[in-house]
Amino acid sequence: MPGPAAGTAHAATTTDVVCLGESMVTFLPSQPGRLADVPSFGRGIGGAESNVACALAAAGHRAAWVGRVGADGFGDHLVETIAGYGVDTSAVRRDPDRPTGIYFRTATDRGAGAHEVAYYRAGSAASAMSPSNVPYGEVFAGRILHLSGITAALSGDCLALLRELTAERPGRPLVSFDVNHRPHLWRGGDASVLLELARRSDLVFVGEDEAEEAWGIEGAEAIRAALPEPSVVVVKRGSAGATVFSGLRPGPRSSNAGGAEDAAAGTGSGDTVTHVPALHVDVVAAVGAGDAFAAGFLSATLRGLPVRDRVRHGHLMAAAVLTVPGDLTEPPARDHADRLAALDDGAWGRLRLGPGWTAADRAPEEVRTS
């Protein structure tokens, strides 16, 4: 099957991050309760990679989303909404034969037993992405290419595409991979391929809980041992915060991201281990936080900030989403987030963020607990 030409160049890159993956129209309930009892739904959008692109664009970066949607009204809504955040959608392909995926969900937390999601994505346009129909010139046009394990679960062609995109080649952009293990997508499938894809990437986001569920691996150190190749492994530990392993990988890998692979300069073949506690957040809705965390970390990576501050910006971007009802929101102004990220450890630990905390006129003292 056709693939990218060897030695694809990025010297004239104008995009910071390209995010490739599925996006769907999501229907959000008008009130709590079972799907059978909810009388009406509001329309939104949902998709891990497009969420990251929207958050990065809202934070002032040049972001692009590459995907495949149907030639239908839902596809129009997705493309127009994502573009409305300032994301470049020019490489999105329209499929005349397959529909845009949609889903419905309840208002409860995704981790709660009463949470329901009804997906209508089988045979969707996104599931038809493959090595033969993706615009490689646009996919490899950024400093960072961001992918997730959700795409790998959609179809055999989608998995083949991710294997193609994570293959080593001269001039490859830095590949960021969020494991994003979704058990319902892997029923009857082998989620161990997510470990394979993560090992072929440069920067990996993975939760302790999903590593245990998908791979049977427990603990941050064991996760790093299973992922020796990536230069940076970010282990998300829920309320305990995040631990980052950053070091020089054992073999050469080309990258033009200009930030992530210098995180452990001078550490030789060993790791620098950085742990950053989570924030205290008054949660409104626990959706979209993982994508927002990735966007915050990538934003700080593009700016060349220290590893600790990359994680803190991830936590802050996640807190912005956790304190609103939907998957997306306006992030805090950069100088506001920078002030909070620069707090000493004690002040960081006293922060408590609730609805409205991202307002530009909020000083750190106004969101700090006593």
Side-chain angles (χ1 to χ4, degrees):
M1 278 186 267
T8 304
H10 309 282
T13 292
T14 59
T15 303
D16 291 323
V17 182
V18 174
C19 302
L20 178 145
E22 175 192 43
S23 192
M24 294 185 291
V25 173
T26 176
F27 288 92
L28 309 174
S30 58
Q31 64 184 45
R34 302 183 309 153
L35 286 178
D37 301 327
V38 174
S40 60
F41 296 81
R43 185 179 63 175
I45 66 170
E49 299 84 2
S50 58
N51 284 349
V52 172
C54 289
L56 285 167
H61 297 284
R62 298 162 298 183
W65 173 60
V66 178
R68 193 172 184 87
V69 300
D72 51 32
F74 288 142
D76 293 341
H77 176 66
L78 275 177
V79 174
E80 292 166 7
T81 303
I82 293 168
Y85 280 87
V87 176
D88 180 356
T89 58
S90 60
V92 176
R93 297 297 187 256
R94 308 301 292 264
D95 191 319
D97 302 316
R98 293 170 177 260
T100 302
I102 65 173
Y103 72 99
F104 298 77
R105 68 171 173 83
T106 53
T108 51
D109 184 350
R110 178 184 289 161
H115 184 67
E116 297 175 74
V117 182
Y119 288 100
Y120 300 90
R121 76 201 317 173
S124 70
S127 68
M129 289 188 293
S130 76
S132 64
N133 63 19
V134 163
Y136 287 99
E138 289 91 339
V139 171
F140 288 145
R143 296 166 62 192
I144 296 175
L145 171 61
H146 181 70
L147 308 168
S148 98
I150 293 174
T151 305
L154 298 180
S155 68
D157 281 344
C158 284
L159 174 56
L161 173 61
L162 286 202
R163 283 179 166 143
E164 186 71 58
L165 297 179
T166 57
E168 288 201 38
R169 57 176 47 87
R172 188 185 89 172
L174 184 142
V175 174
S176 165
F177 183 73
D178 191 335
V179 171
N180 254 331
H181 176 243
R182 298 288 184 264
H184 67 273
L185 289 176
W186 291 99
R187 289 173 186 154
D190 183 5
S192 67
V193 299
L194 297 176
L195 183 60
E196 170 200 337
L197 294 169
R199 293 185 65 176
R200 293 157 64 102
S201 303
D202 302 299
L203 165 59
V204 175
F205 299 96
V206 58
E208 275 190 321
D209 55 346
E210 60 186 350
E212 182 175 359
E213 187 170 26
W215 308 327
I217 298 172
E218 298 183 37
E221 294 285 347
I223 292 170
R224 177 49 161 169
L227 295 169
E229 294 87 355
S231 297
V232 178
V233 174
V234 182
V235 180
K236 296 177 291 183
R237 306 176 64 196
S239 61
T243 298
V244 180
F245 299 88
S246 49
L248 302 180
R249 61 186 299 279
R253 178 171 284 170
S254 176
S255 169
N256 68 335
E261 297 210 24
D262 64 357
T267 64
S269 59
D271 271 330
T272 295
V273 181
T274 306
H275 178 71
V276 180
L279 288 163
H280 301 287
V281 180
D282 297 327
V283 176
V284 172
V287 292
D291 304 329
F293 179 91
F297 191 95
L298 291 174
S299 173
T301 295
L302 287 162
R303 297 170 60 200
L305 299 184
V307 173
R308 185 205 70 169
D309 291 359
R310 299 180 195 195
V311 182
R312 285 188 171 189
H313 276 278
H315 285 322
L316 289 165
M317 195 82 86
V321 169
L322 288 169
T323 50
V324 298
D327 291 32
L328 292 166
T329 189
E330 189 73 18
R334 181 172 291 183
D335 60 346
H336 185 193
D338 282 345
R339 288 198 305 272
L340 296 180
L343 293 172
D344 62 51
D345 290 346
W348 176 264
R350 291 191 298 273
L351 279 178
R352 188 176 196 98
L353 305 181
W357 77 268
T358 60
D361 57 351
R362 287 285 187 96
E365 292 76 11
E366 296 178 87
V367 294
R368 189 181 304 167
T369 58
S370 58

